[in-house]
Amino acid sequence: MADSTFLDSTELVLNMGPQHPSTHGVLRVILKLDGEKILGTECVIGYLHRGVEKIGENRTYQMFAPYVDRTDYVAAVSNGLGYCLAVEKLLNVEAPPRAQVVRVILTELNRIASHLVWLGTHCLDIGAITPLFYTFREREMIMNIYEKYCGARLTTHAFRIGGLQYELYDGFEEDCREFCDWFLPRVDEYEQLLTGNRILVARMTNVGVLNAEDCKAYGVTGPMLRAAGVKWDLRKAQPYSGYEQYDFEIPTGVNGDTYDRYLVRMEEMRQSVRIIRQALDRIPDGPIMAKVPKVMKPPVGEVYVSIEAPKGELGYFIVSDGSTQPYRVRIRPPSFVNLQALDKMARGALVADVVAIIGTIDIVLGEVDR
Amino acid sequence: MATTSWESELTQSLSAQFGDKIVEFCSYLGQNFLIARPEAVIPVIEWLKTEAGFDYLVDITAVDYPERPERFELIYILYSFGRNERIRIKTSIPDGYRPVSATLVHPTANWLEREVFDMFGIEFEGHPDLRRILMPEEWQGHPLRKDYSILQQDQAWVRENLGIESAQ
């Protein structure tokens, strides 16, 4: 951007402002165009910055947990899982087996919900309006399960440090099994509508290509990395909360373009259903909360724990100074790091492709800005 | 911090390469980290990338300890796909010190260092585009420093841009 002159008449600077239906939140992208071709992009973020990390230094560990839900508000349960795992590691406790299995069920339901939001909004940006209604209909069933379990649909605060607070309600297993049975044929329905669709294929293949080396160089993780061909998932590489007991596959792509990411996320939804069914078969009896003190004062130290959130590697770096409040809470957001690669992916593409690329990175501005 | 020591063939190769530039190898709760002198951080990161396969920079962050003479602790977290291992590099720097940017070694560092600059005021030498990323461009003050109160705002900016006199 620094080598443009003011009077250069072939280049146009266009502002895709924070108020825009396709930027998935308050994201501002400044495009430098030559006709319709992109010469460079610049992301301006910070419109949703709420100072969550500063707030973390002023609340106790338990009080901070609801704030964490509101960073990636679409996948709030995953955020809660990451934070609870990080504080539990500092306190050197482990959640009991029953709590771990229920955590896996709720987190995988959340992964499906997050991917459904992605699918609906991404296809809406590209121009297909119908999938949005279908995906949100399925998401309603997940929201109902959450509401019956913990009282909230979106920002759930479902987990507590040390385990769970609420026991499963009567009918939880039936609801989850009903959802899984209803959902798998629906994924086939979406595929029937979208996967071979000529318009979708034309708008998605070779758009936003990011190969494996670039992914690693830019620190991109999650479905974007897997679509580039790297078979890596934190649930398999560094399992947490009992994931090593479940049998599931890691879908990968070949080219690292938007179409491959679409296929990877569709397959991930199916694998999540597989994990949920296995977990439902093996919910053990027992306590749901480990022995944690009411006033939590972890010993002086620091820890970095990361999980495979639906969008990538979500990490929590917590520094404790021995008091009831953390000294520093750092949230390593996958969307923030993945969004850096937008410039690399968008150069040489057309304006319409920028919308597809922003959609395929699957950003949530709450997480980018915190 | 009740650390234990960390010994492995990686630490031995690092000691052989960098000698006393690396102050200590520690481990806490099973997570390994090393404490390096500020000028040695980028060479260590580069060596780890080329020789040891740590090709993914996970995070760069800082912690503010105002009572220490070397006020900020810069933390780099690296991961190796091949080894499935994650390590941390920590260094302590005083206020006003300009560490070398890691963007030449890992392009990920671009926005991560911009955020550290925005929140703490640590300027990185050699960064291609060092400006604020989350706060507005003209904001004065670095919010995550410990002497910046949680209710503090840049009143001049608020008055000029929002047109209100903030009650905080």
Side-chain angles (χ1 to χ4, degrees):
Chain A
M1 303 283 273
D3 42 294
S4 71
T5 62
F6 182 61
L7 298 173
D8 201 320
S9 57
T10 60
E11 290 168 359
L12 171 70
V13 173
L14 187 67
N15 181 43
M16 201 166 142
Q19 173 83 342
H20 193 285
S22 298
T23 54
H24 293 265
V26 276
L27 169 69
R28 180 175 172 209
V29 186
I30 303 177
L31 304 167
K32 189 168 143 194
L33 301 171
D34 170 18
E36 215 174 302
K37 202 168 85 139
I38 308 259
L39 298 173
T41 66
E42 190 188 319
C43 286
V44 180
I45 59 175
Y47 290 93
L48 197 49
H49 178 63
R50 293 155 290 176
V52 165
E53 297 183 0
K54 186 84 181 173
I55 291 175
E57 299 172 11
N58 286 275
R59 300 283 182 278
T60 63
Y61 289 89
Q62 298 103 312
M63 280 165 76
F64 185 60
Y67 286 92
V68 149
D69 286 345
R70 283 143 175 86
T71 55
D72 179 359
Y73 37 77
V74 167
V77 177
S78 298
N79 296 23
L81 177 66
Y83 178 70
C84 289
L85 286 174
V87 182
E88 284 165 13
K89 191 160 175 80
L90 264 181
L91 289 171
N92 216 4
V93 300
E94 209 183 321
R98 185 177 167 87
Q100 288 191 4
V101 176
V102 174
R103 278 178 172 182
V104 165
I105 298 175
L106 293 173
T107 308
E108 290 302 317
L109 279 174
N110 205 237
R111 190 181 308 272
I112 298 176
S114 172
H115 283 338
L116 285 172
V117 172
W118 161 80
L119 182 62
T121 52
H122 190 206
C123 293
L124 183 69
D125 290 342
I126 289 185
I129 308 182
T130 320
L132 181 75
F133 300 107
Y134 290 170
T135 57
F136 273 61
R137 175 190 63 190
E138 264 66 79
R139 196 163 162 266
E140 268 309 295
M141 293 177 76
I142 302 180
M143 302 281 111
N144 285 337
I145 295 178
Y146 285 146
E147 193 179 9
K148 284 196 228 179
Y149 176 69
C150 60
R153 286 159 50 101
L154 195 65
T155 50
T156 46
H157 193 202
F159 307 140
R160 299 289 183 277
I161 298 170
L164 306 168
Q165 176 165 10
Y166 301 114
E167 198 34 271
L168 296 177
Y169 63 89
D170 287 332
F172 177 80
E173 276 182 59
E174 286 76 40
D175 277 346
C176 288
R177 281 190 211 279
E178 193 189 325
F179 170 73
C180 291
D181 294 337
W182 167 259
F183 183 64
L184 270 186
R186 299 284 89 73
V187 181
D188 295 331
E189 212 177 86
Y190 307 148
E191 295 243 18
Q192 209 180 4
L193 192 62
L194 296 169
T195 300
N197 190 316
R198 265 199 317 196
I199 304 176
L200 208 83
V201 168
R203 281 212 63 178
M204 281 192 181
T205 43
N206 290 324
V207 165
V209 179
L210 199 65
N211 60 23
E213 282 158 48
D214 284 334
C215 278
K216 291 183 192 176
Y218 281 91
V220 168
T221 51
M224 295 183 71
L225 180 64
R226 291 195 274 280
V230 180
K231 205 177 175 90
W232 186 74
D233 187 320
L234 267 173
R235 293 174 289 171
K236 291 258 195 205
Q238 308 199 331
Y240 48 90
S241 195
Y243 268 104
E244 61 273 0
Q245 311 163 18
Y246 305 110
D247 184 32
F248 62 99
E249 278 169 31
I250 306 174
T252 52
V254 176
N255 300 322
D257 61 4
T258 306
Y259 191 63
D260 277 348
R261 290 177 204 129
Y262 159 82
L263 292 174
V264 163
R265 288 191 178 108
M266 297 295 272
E267 187 57 36
E268 274 185 12
M269 288 200 274
R270 292 200 177 92
Q271 296 298 321
S272 284
V273 170
R274 200 168 148 191
I275 299 177
I276 296 175
R277 281 186 171 150
Q278 289 173 49
L280 282 170
D281 287 334
R282 60 175 88 180
I283 303 182
D285 293 321
I288 49 171
M289 191 73 168
K291 268 198 163 17
V292 284
K294 251 201 160 63
V295 175
M296 288 185 193
K297 286 192 184 182
V300 174
E302 56 196 36
V303 78
Y304 176 80
V305 168
S306 63
I307 62 165
E308 182 76 28
K311 308 194 159 50
E313 174 175 346
L314 171 66
Y316 288 88
F317 178 69
I318 305 186
V319 178
S320 156
D321 61 348
S323 72
T324 52
Q325 299 180 340
Y327 192 76
R328 169 96 171 97
V329 179
R330 155 78 182 161
I331 304 175
R332 187 261 184 210
S335 306
F336 180 80
V337 182
N338 292 357
L339 190 57
Q340 266 193 93
L342 176 67
D343 190 35
K344 180 99 174 66
M345 291 194 278
R347 293 208 172 201
L350 303 176
V351 174
D353 293 334
V354 173
V355 167
I357 296 171
I358 295 178
T360 187
I361 306 178
D362 194 11
I363 54 170
V364 170
L365 264 299
E367 194 172 51
V368 172
D369 291 342
R370 281 154 286 136
Chain B
M1 211 182 343
T3 54
T4 54
S5 85
W6 168 36
E7 278 278 328
S8 76
E9 45 112 354
L10 181 65
T11 63
Q12 281 162 14
S13 322
L14 278 166
S15 298
Q17 180 76 18
F18 292 99
D20 61 349
K21 293 277 180 62
I22 298 185
V23 173
E24 213 185 335
F25 292 97
C26 311
S27 179
Y28 183 66
L29 293 178
Q31 303 195 338
N32 301 327
F33 61 95
L34 60 91
I35 303 180
R37 300 198 45 75
E39 64 275 4
V41 169
I42 299 298
V44 168
I45 294 180
E46 217 173 325
W47 187 91
L48 283 170
K49 181 176 176 187
T50 49
E51 303 294 327
F54 281 85
D55 44 2
Y56 166 34
L57 175 65
V58 178
D59 199 12
I60 304 178
T61 185
V63 189
D64 185 18
Y65 293 101
E67 66 278 351
R68 296 186 188 172
E70 317 210 289
R71 178 180 184 172
F72 296 114
E73 194 173 71
L74 255 189
I75 297 155
Y76 295 77
I77 306 179
L78 299 166
Y79 176 83
S80 162
F81 283 101
R83 297 164 175 253
N84 193 11
E85 202 180 317
R86 196 180 279 136
I87 64 172
R88 260 180 264 155
I89 302 174
K90 300 196 334 174
T91 183
S92 297
I93 57 176
D95 197 359
Y97 182 87
R98 296 171 56 109
V100 178
S101 167
T103 42
L104 288 174
V105 187
H106 291 278
T108 325
N110 199 321
W111 277 21
L112 293 169
E113 286 177 353
R114 273 178 73 184
E115 188 178 342
V116 172
F117 165 66
D118 191 3
M119 293 287 128
F120 289 94
I122 300 174
E123 294 181 8
F124 288 87
E125 187 82 50
H127 191 280
D129 184 23
L130 193 67
R131 53 198 164 100
R132 289 186 180 268
I133 189 168
L134 295 176
M135 304 305 292
E137 296 279 337
E138 316 83 35
W139 193 269
Q140 301 294 320
H142 296 284
L144 273 177
R145 292 188 172 199
K146 290 287 178 184
D147 48 10
Y148 196 101
S149 144
I150 192 169
L151 294 177
Q152 184 177 340
Q153 286 178 345
D154 182 3
Q155 293 294 356
W157 188 93
V158 171
R159 216 176 291 131
E160 198 182 306
N161 289 279
L162 301 179
I164 56 171
E165 197 65 43
S166 173
Q168 285 178 194

